[in-house]
Amino acid sequence: MSVVVRPVRPEDARGALEVHHAAVRITAASDYPAEVVENWAQMPITEKAVAGFNANPEGELRFVADLHGKIVGFAAIVARKDELRACYVAPSVARQGVGRALVKQIEQAARERGLKELHLHSSVTAHAFYTAMGYETLGSGEHVLGSGLGMRCVFMRKTL
Ligand SMILES: CC(C)(COP(=O)(O)OP(=O)(O)OC[C@H]1O[C@@H](n2cnc3c(N)ncnc32)[C@H](O)[C@@H]1OP(=O)(O)O)[C@@H](O)C(=O)NCCC(=O)NCCS
């Protein structure tokens, strides 16, 4: 599969949000209550949501996986917090190495910015994936979504 991982562009916003929503609503849905899924990936994807994504208030450093012009993956770090913030892959291309390619790229970008480690709140769904990517499990707990609703998560970290 000829996926290219590249920095996000403003015109990728809707595609990245669509990947995020499909990954949550299809791949992660069986691991969480419906209320969490609804809050984590609110539908529909409005123009306001697209503009909010592009406003990028947290200063996320973002990459997308581009398959012949279609966005099939999205990942982000918040460098000032040493945080891996997001990694989502379209269910249609799951388990084909897209997540691995995205994490490799964001780790490289983190190293280039002088980061020595990354930590994250992993979904329960992605725990095995991040473990395979070399992340260490610190414990389990709760991640608070933008809406204020809590969801189960696993705290993880990796030395870069
Ligand atoms: C987690 C996620 C990004 C993985 O993306 P992916 O492209 O399917 O992952 P990859 O194909 O790169 O997997 C790399 C390795 O991780 C491990 N892995 C990935 N998914 C796994 C799963 N469901 N169960 C066990 N191991 C898994 C495997 O070792 C895999 O290598 P292999 O396929 O050669 O065995 C994707 O499943 C996803 O979007 N999940 C839902 C959203 C989510 O919870 N994101 C994380 C938010 S913190």
Side-chain angles (χ1 to χ4, degrees):
M1 202 177 35
S2 52
V3 166
V4 174
V5 175
R6 59 164 175 81
V8 71
R9 303 175 189 137
E11 60 269 27
D12 297 325
R14 182 167 287 277
L17 288 170
E18 284 173 356
V19 165
H20 174 275
H21 280 43
V24 171
R25 290 178 164 266
I26 297 171
T27 311
S30 57
D31 294 322
Y32 288 96
E35 189 188 13
V36 167
V37 172
E38 289 302 321
N39 277 259
W40 191 2
Q42 288 174 17
M43 292 294 278
I45 300 172
T46 60
E47 284 308 312
K48 190 177 167 194
V50 170
F53 179 90
N54 276 334
N56 193 9
E58 286 259 54
E60 293 178 5
L61 182 63
R62 296 162 166 171
F63 291 88
V64 290
D66 180 327
L67 180 64
H68 308 305
K70 185 174 167 51
I71 305 302
V72 294
F74 162 69
I77 58 171
V78 180
R80 68 191 156 78
K81 294 184 173 175
D82 292 339
E83 183 185 349
L84 196 167
R85 174 60 63 86
C87 185
Y88 294 87
V89 169
S92 57
V93 297
R95 292 303 285 269
Q96 294 180 58
V98 175
R100 183 190 297 274
L102 282 162
V103 165
K104 208 172 150 193
Q105 179 59 63
I106 53 179
E107 288 178 352
Q108 181 59 32
R111 278 188 210 97
E112 285 167 8
R113 280 157 185 77
L115 272 62
K116 301 285 183 248
E117 65 167 30
L118 282 172
H119 62 85
L120 77 136
H121 294 182
S122 170
S123 67
V124 173
T125 314
H127 184 213
F129 165 71
Y130 286 116
T131 300
M133 298 301 104
Y135 286 75
E136 168 194 0
T137 299
L138 302 176
S140 54
E142 188 180 70
H143 173 77
V144 180
L145 292 162
S147 66
L149 186 70
M151 61 181 273
R152 282 190 303 135
C153 77
V154 184
F155 304 118
M156 305 185 82
R157 70 170 293 284
K158 180 177 181 176
T159 302
L160 296 175

